[in-house]
Amino acid sequence: MVNAINRIRRRYSYKISGILAGIFLLTLFFAVLFGLHVSRSPPEEAAQRGIAAITGLVVLMLLNLGLAGIILGGNVALSLRRLSNRAERIGAGEFDIEISTRRTDEIADLYDSLRVMRNSLDTMVTDLDETRKRIQEERERSENAKENAERLTEQVQEQNDELLKVADQLSSAMAASANGDLEQRTTVSTEDKAMQEISDSFNEMVDRLSIAVARAKTSAERIDETSTTLDTSSQEIRRGSNDVAEAIQEIAHGADEQTTELNDAASQISQLSASTEEVASTTAEIASQSAAVSRITAEGQEISATTADQIEQSVERTAEVVETVDTLVAEAEQIESVIATIDDIADQINILALNANIEAARADVGAGGEGFEVVANEVKELAEEAMTGVEDIETTLQHVRKRAKETAAGVEEVDETIRTAASDVSELQQRLNQISNDIDAVDTSIQQITEAADEQAGTAQELSSIVDNVSEISEQTSNHTEDVSATAQEVTASTETVAQLARELDGEAQELAEIMGTFHVSQETNPEMEVSTDD
Amino acid sequence: MTEQLLIGQSRLYLFTAGMFLLGAVLFALLALRQPSGPRRFLLISTIPPAAMAITYILMAQDVATVEVTAAGRQQSVMRFVGYTVVLSALGLVFNRLVSPSRRLFAVLFAVFVFTPWAALASWLVSGAAESLMNGLVFVGYLTGCYLLFGPTERSAKTVSDGRRLLFAKLRNLFVICWAALIIQSVVSEQSLGLTNFFVGQITVGYTDAVLAFGIFGLVYAGKNALTDDSSTESRQNKQTDNSIKEPTELRTQD
């Protein structure tokens, strides 16, 4: 502690010296700076600058002294010296000195540490004093105890001599009792209460032992009889156990066979379950295909209905065409009548032209006969051209009529064909409807088959689970049966052991009776007398 | 007048600004390398040199000048803005260190801000008003000292010893520098006229440097105490503790 304080004191001394030197050098620097400032001033400002420089230096010195005061204000060196003195006084045994400071820095921590150390040392010294006092007291107590022990040793020696005499008497009586003479009793008279109680207890013990020996003799006889009976019974139990073991062996064999058959049944049920699942899978495929056929049939029905509608429209259009052709033929006939009329007119014009020529010939005599003849010729030519055109028209009309009749005949044939097709389509629709109904029925049947197959598969699984459980139970039964068989064999062995023990017990009982016979018991001792065990 | 000085006014301002700027940059780099706990304190402590650097740059540019009655010269208001920022940062450090009550912190902050502007006011007025403002400056200083050594010190007893010691060092530094600044304000050419511009600026710049660099230096030296944010048992409780300190602990406190 003192070394640490000295180390801190040295460190603080160096630190303070350095700070003071730094402050001095800094102030010197400012003094030089201000001196230069004054020296370079004009004469009229020299006094003012001097005052300013001095004032500035004073302020800076005050500031630096204040800073030094902060550092030195705590008076570290003095505090450490005081602390060192107190440490030395504590080392000299002065534990009641005051250790406190107003500082709040590291020095205060040192004060705290020194105070804690002082308190610890004080506590340790106090504890040592108390311990030394306790040791002194213990030493005095041990010396007193030693004196008491020596006195007690003398008393014990006297009592020991007396006890030896009593012990001799007790030993003689006990030796007689050990040799079977239970009629011996002690007649000790001593001041030692414990030995007197031993003597009394010995006499009481021998009394009770006499009673116990008498009762043991009786019990040995009874045990002899009981062991004989037990031997007989154990032989009967052994025979019964053998029978039971054989029966259990048969049961175990049957349980094994049952387990084997149940395993076979479980295997077959598993196969059945697999087949049922396969049927269900196949039925699902059929249902899928049936649905496809049903969908195709529905499409066929829609197509046939569309075709029937189109045929219906074709029949109507064909009838309209036949009607148009008939109208065309009728109109052609009307044209023919018109043409006949035109032909008559042309004939009449021709006749008229002929008459005009005739009249022109008559009129050759006159001046106007030539002109009239020219007109007549022109009319005649015109009539002839009209007749030629009418003939052409008539020829054309004949062709038209022929074509119209042929067309009407063709159309009628087409109409007949279409009607036949419409009839076929109607029949096809009926057939498709019938097919659709049949497919629906097939779907229903397939659904029923699928449900039945699923139900059958579930039932097969449940059945398989049940058979597995039964098989497991059968195996457990077989195992238990084997355990029972083993137990029966153990019972048989135990019975033999019991019989052996009964025989040994019989021998022991006889030996006990012989041993009991070595004890001499007073004839007045009643074997039925109660033996107290309170002691 | 300027050419008769050792160095011109603007150059003197810029030289001082450069000194603060260099310090602020170095301090910021140093602060960023610290763990998150001390880093916040150190970054706050970087504000005073940075603020003073900006202040002197603006003063060199004659920003926001007013005419001072005694000297008859133009004086930049930016110096007092800079002091306001410096004192606000210091108040923030005090608040984070010892966690005084909000009311106490508000009063302390108001006193910190009041005194520099009262000093400026004393430069702008004359006669009785000037004496009154100077008196108010001293009253503000004494009030601040009372608050720092009284209620705030009591609050410091509830925090760890390291924080309490750091608070005591910062407080003592601030009280000395604060007093120096007030004295310089009174004896300056703007008030009593005992100093001139060159001497006044040298002494004020030195005081500003001691304050700004001292704040960061003390916080950096006591950064180990800032890692423990929880308040520890008071010194009074510690004095009743009979447990013996470990040697390593004693060494670290040395």
Side-chain angles (χ1 to χ4, degrees), chain A residues 388-438:
Chain A
T388 304
V390 167
E391 285 176 357
D392 292 339
I393 291 168
E394 191 173 7
T395 303
T396 304
L397 277 175
Q398 285 176 355
H399 283 296
V400 168
R401 285 180 65 191
K402 185 180 178 182
R403 297 290 182 190
K405 285 180 181 178
E406 288 176 359
T407 302
V411 168
E412 285 178 356
E413 288 179 0
V414 170
D415 184 51
E416 186 64 26
T417 303
I418 289 171
R419 289 182 188 281
T420 303
S423 176
D424 293 341
V425 168
S426 176
E427 189 176 356
L428 176 61
Q429 276 188 306
Q430 291 178 358
R431 296 283 178 85
L432 287 172
N433 288 332
Q434 184 64 36
I435 289 169
S436 177
N437 293 331
D438 292 342

Side-chain angles (χ1 to χ4, degrees), chain B:
Chain B
M1 180 178 179
T2 305
E3 60 273 11
Q4 296 172 351
L5 301 176
L6 284 178
I7 186 173
Q9 174 177 325
S10 297
R11 285 188 179 182
L12 189 56
Y13 283 156
L14 289 175
F15 174 77
T16 312
M19 178 181 64
F20 280 116
L21 191 61
L22 181 63
V25 172
L26 291 177
F27 293 165
L29 293 175
L30 203 57
L32 290 175
R33 296 175 61 184
Q34 302 303 317
S36 60
R39 188 193 306 151
R40 284 180 295 176
F41 280 92
L42 291 171
L43 287 176
I44 294 173
S45 303
T46 311
I47 292 175
M52 292 312 296
I54 296 170
T55 295
Y56 279 109
I57 290 172
L58 295 175
M59 286 170 65
Q61 303 299 321
D62 289 331
V63 175
T65 57
V66 293
E67 186 175 354
V68 180
T69 56
R73 64 157 56 231
Q74 295 293 318
Q75 176 67 43
S76 177
V77 179
M78 296 312 299
R79 176 187 294 278
F80 299 92
V81 176
Y83 284 150
T84 303
V85 175
V86 171
L87 295 176
S88 300
L90 185 62
L92 199 58
V93 172
F94 282 162
N95 183 43
R96 283 178 172 269
L97 265 180
V98 298
S99 302
S101 64
R102 288 187 177 184
R103 186 178 174 184
L104 174 60
F105 176 69
V107 174
L108 195 64
F109 185 78
V111 171
F112 280 1
V113 174
F114 169 75
T115 47
W117 292 102
L120 173 64
S122 70
W123 290 1
L124 299 178
V125 297
S126 59
E130 182 182 2
S131 301
L132 175 64
M133 295 313 297
N134 283 327
L136 286 177
V137 169
F138 279 105
V139 169
Y141 174 74
L142 294 175
T143 305
C145 289
Y146 165 73
L147 293 174
L148 287 173
F149 285 93
T152 312
E153 174 67 22
R154 285 195 289 275
S155 296
K157 290 180 179 177
T158 61
V159 299
S160 65
D161 291 343
R163 284 175 175 246
R164 187 181 176 192
L165 184 62
L166 179 57
F167 165 73
K169 290 177 179 177
L170 286 172
R171 178 197 60 197
N172 294 337
L173 173 71
F174 170 64
V175 167
I176 293 295
C177 292
W178 199 7
L181 286 173
I182 290 172
I183 290 171
Q184 290 167 28
S185 171
V186 173
V187 302
S188 66
E189 62 176 344
Q190 292 88 345
S191 187
L192 296 180
L194 294 177
T195 59
N196 57 12
F197 167 76
F198 181 76
V199 173
Q201 180 53 41
I202 290 293
T203 54
V204 168
Y206 174 70
T207 309
D208 293 342
V210 167
L211 179 61
F213 296 162
I215 290 171
F216 184 89
L218 290 176
V219 173
Y220 184 78
K223 64 179 184 296
N224 291 333
L226 304 176
T227 56
D228 180 19
D229 291 334
S230 61
S231 297
T232 58
E233 58 185 353
S234 66
R235 177 169 297 279
Q236 187 63 35
N237 292 334
K238 193 177 174 184
Q239 287 177 350
T240 59
D241 185 5
N242 289 326
S243 62
I244 300 173
K245 292 180 180 177
E246 294 294 331
T248 53
E249 189 179 356
L250 288 173
R251 280 198 296 274
T252 56
Q253 289 186 350
D254 288 341

Side-chain angles (χ1 to χ4, degrees), chain A residues 213-251:
Chain A
V213 167
R215 291 182 66 182
K217 283 182 179 177
T218 307
S219 297
E221 293 171 358
R222 290 178 183 170
I223 288 169
D224 189 19
E225 296 174 357
T226 304
S227 61
T228 304
T229 306
L230 185 62
D231 187 21
T232 306
S233 299
S234 63
Q235 290 178 356
E236 293 176 355
I237 289 170
R238 185 174 55 197
R239 283 195 295 275
S241 298
N242 287 329
D243 295 340
V244 169
E246 290 175 358
I248 288 169
Q249 288 286 351
E250 291 178 359
I251 291 170

